[in-house]
Amino acid sequence: MSKRTSTSPRVRKHLDNAHLLENLVYMGEENVSTSIELIQYDKTQISERAVRPDEKLKELIKPDCVNWFRITGISDAGTTYNICKAFGIPRFDVKDLLSGYRVTKVITHDTNTFILMSGAYISEDKELIIYQNAFILGDNYVVSFQERPSTIFNDAKDAIKEGRVMIREKDEDYLLYILLNCLHSSFNDAIIKLNNRLNEMEDRLIDDDTENINVMRFISRRKKDASSLRRIIAPLREEYINLLHNTNKLIKPENIMYFEDFDDRLRTSLDDLLAFRESVSSLSDLYFNNNNLRLNNVIKKLTIVSTIFIPLTFMVGVWGMNFDYMPELRWAHGYLFAWGIMLLIVILAVFYLKRKRWF
């Protein structure tokens, strides 16, 4: 039984009981028209071309090549369903792809393997962006779906063109491994960039340089980012065991070790994410400690002022009493004497507090 885990996007359509609808409905936030790029290669040659979504995609597969259908945009529910149907993906799996709930699942069918997962990267405005991805692994082909345009798979395409990392000598299962690693690299890159922002904020907190920054909002967003990334990576590792079981034998025995290595990388990413969450908690503690320290400094200054002025207040209170006989009130030099006494008290108090290192 496949476990389904969801991560809500920032903006998502809502339909009451959408799972009961007869028609397929795209529930995500992206409105991207479907485009398909077909990349076919073997040891000696490579070709690439654009394909119309209404073409019969399975008939384009060359049996002596690795065929990669790179699909961008799933907002057209009908087109997405027709593509998935052509490759033997059941309707309920397509519903999960279109749901917008960031479902994670790995399903092995008799003739293909369907992988549904989320991708993540840091945008130009330094915010975490999460979007839906899917893969279909079959005999001589890999189909990749991306909810929104992204350059994450460009490195894989360049590697195919240049014949790097043995990719041209391997089969379609190795291509799937490379694409999964591209997504994993985007996870790691997101965690690293978020960690760098945390370190930058920590330095500013230590230097007390946060005058125009809403630190609590920053910490709250980083907590949400950590939670979002965990809801991507943790379910993927749980579901990934279905891929390693390889019940339909689409992963070649000589390539199993690569997929086992990917499982280790997912575990490492979870450890890095745990460290990131602890760093967020530490930053929160540092922020509150700084606030407490700042408050303590204010109280300390007020205490110093009070310590100096309490004796003066006492003297003023004594001389302000309405008794008929107070000799110093009728003394010709009483006013100057009072000022002298008060200045002496201030000097002695400051000298004493200075020796005690209160300031």
Side-chain angles (χ1 to χ4, degrees):
M1 181 66 67
S2 174
K3 180 178 179 181
R4 303 186 180 190
T5 306
S6 65
T7 301
S8 298
R10 292 170 296 168
V11 178
R12 183 171 54 80
K13 300 174 185 176
H14 174 73
L15 292 176
D16 292 336
N17 294 324
H19 60 288
L20 298 178
L21 294 177
E22 185 66 26
N23 296 328
L24 292 172
V25 179
Y26 172 66
M27 302 287 289
E29 60 178 348
E30 305 296 335
N31 185 17
V32 180
S33 58
T34 303
S35 63
I36 305 176
E37 181 183 15
L38 174 58
I39 301 173
Q40 298 171 307
Y41 64 90
D42 57 19
K43 293 181 181 180
T44 60
Q45 61 183 354
I46 177 175
S47 66
E48 55 180 301
R49 68 185 182 93
V51 177
R52 296 194 316 274
D54 58 351
E55 291 189 53
K56 296 181 179 180
L57 301 184
K58 267 219 155 178
E59 295 181 1
L60 301 177
I61 296 176
K62 294 181 179 179
D64 55 345
C65 292
V66 175
N67 302 266
W68 175 19
F69 294 89
R70 185 180 180 183
I71 301 173
T72 302
I74 61 173
S75 58
D76 188 333
T79 299
T80 302
Y81 172 68
N82 290 334
I83 293 173
C84 291
K85 182 181 178 181
F87 289 98
I89 302 303
R91 183 184 180 89
F92 57 82
D93 286 335
V94 182
K95 271 194 173 184
D96 287 336
L97 173 60
L98 299 173
S99 67
Y101 284 98
R102 310 308 185 205
V103 179
T104 299
K105 63 191 299 185
V106 177
I107 303 294
T108 54
H109 302 291
D110 292 338
T111 59
N112 59 54
T113 297
F114 181 66
I115 303 173
L116 183 58
M117 59 182 290
S118 296
Y121 67 93
I122 302 298
S123 64
E124 293 182 357
D125 57 355
K126 299 182 179 180
E127 293 299 326
L128 180 67
I129 303 298
I130 297 175
Y131 63 100
Q132 194 77 297
N133 290 275
F135 301 96
I136 305 173
L137 172 65
D139 190 17
N140 293 327
Y141 69 85
V142 172
V143 183
S144 65
F145 293 88
Q146 287 185 286
E147 187 177 18
R148 61 189 297 162
S150 171
T151 60
I152 289 176
F153 293 150
N154 285 359
D155 287 342
K157 182 179 177 180
D158 293 340
I160 293 172
K161 287 182 176 180
E162 299 169 12
R164 287 187 272 122
V165 294
M166 307 179 296
I167 193 168
R168 296 274 288 274
E169 301 175 5
K170 296 285 187 177
D171 294 322
E172 64 280 351
D173 53 342
Y174 188 78
L175 172 61
L176 175 63
Y177 163 75
I178 293 296
L179 297 180
L180 289 174
N181 267 284
C182 288
L183 282 177
H184 175 264
S185 296
S186 72
F187 296 152
N188 275 352
D189 181 65
I191 294 173
I192 290 172
K193 288 181 178 179
L194 290 174
N195 261 317
N196 290 340
R197 293 197 66 189
L198 277 185
N199 293 334
E200 179 183 340
M201 180 59 70
E202 183 178 17
D203 291 339
R204 300 191 72 167
L205 280 174
I206 293 174
D207 296 337
D208 198 18
D209 183 24
T210 58
E211 182 178 353
N212 298 320
I213 300 176
N214 190 329
V215 180
M216 282 307 301
R217 181 181 294 274
F218 176 87
I219 293 174
S220 176
R221 286 183 175 177
R222 299 297 79 79
K223 286 182 178 180
K224 291 178 181 178
D225 290 343
S227 178
S228 296
L229 285 172
R230 190 182 187 284
R231 287 199 293 266
I232 295 174
I233 300 175
L236 177 60
R237 186 157 189 256
E238 293 176 8
E239 289 286 314
Y240 191 73
I241 192 68
N242 294 332
L243 187 63
L244 294 179
H245 284 162
N246 195 28
T247 55
N248 53 18
K249 307 302 180 185
L250 287 176
I251 299 177
K252 309 296 187 298
E254 63 270 19
N255 291 332
I256 284 289
M257 61 180 180
Y258 297 112
F259 288 89
E260 291 174 345
D261 173 70
F262 182 75
D263 184 52
D264 293 336
R265 295 187 183 189
L266 287 177
R267 177 178 52 80
T268 302
S269 293
L270 281 175
D271 292 339
D272 292 341
L273 188 56
L274 178 60
F276 172 71
R277 295 177 69 183
E278 291 176 351
S279 297
V280 174
S281 297
S282 298
L283 185 66
S284 179
D285 293 340
L286 177 61
Y287 172 68
F288 286 115
N289 288 339
N290 272 6
N291 281 347
N292 290 335
L293 182 60
R294 191 177 295 111
L295 179 61
N296 289 339
N297 285 334
V298 171
I299 294 175
K300 183 178 179 180
K301 291 176 182 178
L302 292 175
T303 303
I304 291 173
V305 172
S306 299
T307 302
I308 293 173
F309 279 91
I310 283 176
L312 306 183
T313 304
F314 171 76
M315 295 179 65
V316 171
V318 170
W319 286 327
M321 292 187 294
N322 295 321
F323 289 106
D324 291 335
Y325 184 71
M326 294 185 72
E328 59 269 33
L329 294 181
R330 293 177 173 80
W331 184 26
H333 302 290
Y335 179 74
L336 294 177
F337 177 77
W339 270 108
I341 291 294
M342 288 190 288
L343 287 175
L344 179 61
I345 290 174
V346 170
I347 292 172
L348 291 176
V350 170
F351 177 75
Y352 175 79
L353 295 175
K354 197 80 171 176
R355 288 199 61 180
K356 292 295 183 179
R357 299 183 182 276
W358 276 42
F359 61 91

